[in-house]
């Protein structure tokens, strides 16, 4: 048998780590991190377990059409022609009756989204959105309002940072391989890590200082830090004077938010707050206040994230060594990739979710996944009747899935395109199975950062089952709907050659290292005259006229979190290094061996009061919804909080390893599929009761 090594991109989570795949014949021997980009063969457990996904018979192996009630699990196998015709006919009927805007499409988001975005725009619908309402909408929209950049518009220069401050970003457990490695390198280089959270985790274990904060009070802490930095003149005056607007308004706003005020709210001493402010002030500009990752926290999260962005700006951390480096793109060095989407006329209809209209300050780039249920149930602003769900599982990620499912019943057509059996797929009319990332080559994507370039996911082996790649699926659907001209390729190799036209590079150039660098040295813009913030002023905007004109204040007063009623706990969730959220890896044969259910972490004193012991089966209840889960006792969690890992309580019986294991956090989050000011769902405003099952 022949051996080969294939450079590619992992897809076991959203981190898109660069990988190298060792192949023997048509079998994957091992998956490693790409040493040319990661400084070694490092890779997380999820990435290494990709080989189990490849050969897993508990994933969709051929197209399937519903043959019973939605959610009944009754299916019939279909050929690709029959399944695609079924979908296309359903879309045509919907468009003829309600117009193209009545078709919506969502995906996981990220860089490899060209095919689905092109398809939905080509049929004339403006209604693409992704999963970020359940993840990072608030930081995306907050950073846009402050710096004109999305969350991923900057790269963190961890290795050279003197201080890294994390508000709940569990960098070493909810991890991206390269990022986690760089944080460890920072610590070994003498950089200081400060972690603020409601519970102990692996990031807290590596922190120089760890603060267990009163839940829901992070905004008070951020405002107090700004107060001290301004009051004690710890800010970077040159940067602030040159590159910000609204400093006086910010300074006046934070005057009441003293360290003493914050101590009463957060439980963190005023002296510690002052010390942290002075420490980061003395270390400026080599300081990172992490913007956040999964930021669907509270209703005011948008303003917490604006405050964190403001801290970075006050310390002059943008485009500074050891700070936040503004990402450069291939376009910045004169070598942009050609884009399918750029060839499609932009739809002119208003969006279904109100981005840019009902919510004028929120970007349609990510949209509002949680708004779909409301639109389906009310037909406001117009009817939506067809939904294509691609690489996304709203019934496993949005809060209150029973409410979401009830709304989905109004759909005339629900299509799932995925590599797994998902909760949403199980409720769909059609499942179109996609090739796994080890079986397909995708379009070239820009690798933005200080050293811009290109990177490519390449097929390592031949497909195992009757599945197809996304490049083929969306082209075939487009052909059936009469818009095939927007997919002008006959193979993925032909598309890649078209994308690279004018760059001087070819597909074969990815074989050496898996990526192409367009510059030899990092590009750093001149901090005196050369920074590029995509705001109306071209500067960091503490005070945003654009927000104000939209009826959204630049600053809002701190408010105490919702009062906790007697006998209730605040439910907090997160993920671990073994599994990806949304259950995309919990049924993986290799990973399931390590973590096959979640537990409820509860403070040992509270557990004692309730007569709960380690391993007891607990009933966790909210608004009549009951979930059952085993107890895990700890003293390193805030006594008002209980914690469980997200992504368990699987209800798809074909996923036998994860089916029925553990508890579902989202089923407990009643009434939280709503739009907070930053476009996020306020997940952590869920409270629950806990009792031992007798």
């Amino acid at each position: 048998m022949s051996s080969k090594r294939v450079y590619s991109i992992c897809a076991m989570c959203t981190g898109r780590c660069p990988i190298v795949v060792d192949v023997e014949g048509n079998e994957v021997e091992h998956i490693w991190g790409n040493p040319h980009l990661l400084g070694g063969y490092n890779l997380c457990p999820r990435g290494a377990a990709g080989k189990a996904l490849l050969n897993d018979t508990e994933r969709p192996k051929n197209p399937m059409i519903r043959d019973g009630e939605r959610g009944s699990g009754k299916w019939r196998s279909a050929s690709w022609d029959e399944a695609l015709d079924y979908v296309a006919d359903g879309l045509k009927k919907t468009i003829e009756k309600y117009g193209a805007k009545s078709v919506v499409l969502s995906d996981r988001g990220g860089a490899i989204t060209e095919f689905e975005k092109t398809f939905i725009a080509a049929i004339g619908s403006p209604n693409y959105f992704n999963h970020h309402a359940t993840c990072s909408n608030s930081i995306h929209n907050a950073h846009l309002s402050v710096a004109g950049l999305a969350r991923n518009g900057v790269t963190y220069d961890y290795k050279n940072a003197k201080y890294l401050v994390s508000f709940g970003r569990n960098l070493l457990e909810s991890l991206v391989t390269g990022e986690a490695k760089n944080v460890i390198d920072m610590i070994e280089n003498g950089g200081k890590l400060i972690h603020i959270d409601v519970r102990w985790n692996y990031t807290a274990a590596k922190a120089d200082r760890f603060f267990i904060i009163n839940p829901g009070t992070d905004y008070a802490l951020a405002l107090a830090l700004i107060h001290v930095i301004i009051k004690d003149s710890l800010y970077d005056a040159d940067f602030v004077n040159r590159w910000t607007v609204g400093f006086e308004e910010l300074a006046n706003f934070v005057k009441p938010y003293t360290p003493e005020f914050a101590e009463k709210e957060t439980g963190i001493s005023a002296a510690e707050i002052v010390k942290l402010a002075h420490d980061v002030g003395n270390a400026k500009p080599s300081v990172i206040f992490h913007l956040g990752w999964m930021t669907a926290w509270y209703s005011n999260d948008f303003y917490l994230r604006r405050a964190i962005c403001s801290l970075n700006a006050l310390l002059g951390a943008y485009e500074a060594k050891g700070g936040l480096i503004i990402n450069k793109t291939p376009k910045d060095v004169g070598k942009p990739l050609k884009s399918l989407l750029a060839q499609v006329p932009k739809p002119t209809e208003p969006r279904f979710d109100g981005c840019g209209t009902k919510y004028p300050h929120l970007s349609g780039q990510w949209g509002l996944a949680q708004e779909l249920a409301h639109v389906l149930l009310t037909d406001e602003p117009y009817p939506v009747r067809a939904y294509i769900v691609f690489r996304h599982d709203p019934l496993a990620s949005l809060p209150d899935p029973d409410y979401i499912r009830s709304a989905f019943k109004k759909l005339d057509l629900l299509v799932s395109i995925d590599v797994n059996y998902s909760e949403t797929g199980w409720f769909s009319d059609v499942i179109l199975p996609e090739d796994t990332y080890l079986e397909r080559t995708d379009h070239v994507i820009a690798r933005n950062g200080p050293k811009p370039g290109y990177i490519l996911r390449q097929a390592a082996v031949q497909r195992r089952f009757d599945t197809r790649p996304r490049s083929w699926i969306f082209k075939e659907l487009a052909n059936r709907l009469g818009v095939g001209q927007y997919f002008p390729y006959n193979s993925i190799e032909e598309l890649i050659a078209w994308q690279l036209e004018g760059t001087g590079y070819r597909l074969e150039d990815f074989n050496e290292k898996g990526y192409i660098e367009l510059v030899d040295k990092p590009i750093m813009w001149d901090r005196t005259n050369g920074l590029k913030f995509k705001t109306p002023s071209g500067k960091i905007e503490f005070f945003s006229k654009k927000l104000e004109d939209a009826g959204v204040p630049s600053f809002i007063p701190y408010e105490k979190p919702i009062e906790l009623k007697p006998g209730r706990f605040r439910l907090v969730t997160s993920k671990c290094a073994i599994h990806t959220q949304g259950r995309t890896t919990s049924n993986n044969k290799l990973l399931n061996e390590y973590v096959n259910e979640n537990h409820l972490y509860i403070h040992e004193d509270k557990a004692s009061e309730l007569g709960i012991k380690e391993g007891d089966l607990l009933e966790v209840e909210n608004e009549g919804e009951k979930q059952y889960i085993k107890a895990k006792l700890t003293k390193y969690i805030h006594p008002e909080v209980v914690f469980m890992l997200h992504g368990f309580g699987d209800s798809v019986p074909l996923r036998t390893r994860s089916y029925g294991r553990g508890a579902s956090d989202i089923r407990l989050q009643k009434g939280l599929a709503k739009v907070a000011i930053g476009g996020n769902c306020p997940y952590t405003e869920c409270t629950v009761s806990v009792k031992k099952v007798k």
Side-chain angles (χ1 to χ4, degrees), residues 160-366:
N160 294 304
K162 296 178 182 177
Y163 265 86
L164 167 59
V165 183
S166 164
F167 280 79
R169 170 68 176 112
N170 191 3
L171 289 150
L172 302 181
E173 193 171 4
S174 301
L175 62 85
V176 176
T177 303
E179 184 178 46
K181 184 177 184 297
N182 287 337
V183 170
I184 294 299
D185 288 345
M186 178 203 76
I187 294 170
E188 292 179 349
N189 291 337
K192 305 297 183 184
L193 172 61
I194 311 298
H195 189 61
I196 303 147
D197 213 325
V198 295
R199 68 181 184 99
W200 180 95
N201 51 43
Y202 292 144
T203 304
K206 287 290 186 181
D208 291 88
R209 298 213 294 282
F210 167 49
F211 300 112
I212 292 187
I213 192 171
N214 290 337
T217 66
D218 305 75
Y219 185 42
L221 175 59
L223 293 177
L225 289 169
I226 294 173
H227 172 102
V228 177
I229 287 169
I230 293 177
K231 176 177 173 290
D232 294 353
S233 298
L234 300 170
Y235 59 92
D236 185 330
D238 289 341
F239 186 90
V240 168
N241 291 335
R242 177 68 185 86
W243 290 111
T244 73
V245 296
F247 176 76
E248 291 300 325
E249 290 91 338
L250 176 64
N252 288 329
F253 173 72
V254 299
K255 282 180 179 177
Y257 299 107
T258 64
E260 291 73 24
F261 167 85
E263 177 179 342
K264 294 177 183 177
E265 295 299 317
T266 66
I268 300 171
S269 75
E272 285 284 9
I273 294 171
V274 172
K275 174 175 169 48
L276 177 55
H278 278 259
D279 285 347
V280 295
N282 292 332
K284 68 177 182 293
S286 299
V287 175
I288 298 168
F289 277 83
H290 200 287
L291 301 176
W293 190 263
M294 188 281 202
T295 58
W297 286 9
Y298 299 99
S299 294
N300 71 348
D301 198 81
F302 179 70
Y303 289 97
L304 167 62
R305 303 301 155 181
R306 277 183 54 84
I308 291 172
C309 296
S310 298
L311 283 163
N312 285 312
L314 287 169
L315 297 169
Y318 284 92
E319 205 67 0
K321 182 179 180 180
L324 287 71
I325 312 302
I326 300 171
N327 282 343
K328 288 77 183 180
T329 72
K331 186 176 180 180
D332 290 316
V333 294
K335 292 185 180 292
L337 291 166
K338 293 178 71 174
S339 164
L340 289 174
L341 183 60
Q343 319 300 313
V344 183
K346 188 174 181 179
T348 57
E349 299 272 17
R351 292 180 57 85
F352 83 98
D353 56 12
C355 287
T357 51
K358 181 180 178 181
Y359 306 105
H361 65 296
L362 298 181
S363 172
Q365 183 176 350
W366 307 287

Side-chain angles (χ1 to χ4, degrees), residues 35 67 129 192 243 330 411-412 453 461 513 554:
D67 197 25
F129 61 99
K192 305 297 183 184
W243 290 111
L411 288 163
D412 294 332
V461 294
K513 294 182 177 180
S554 299

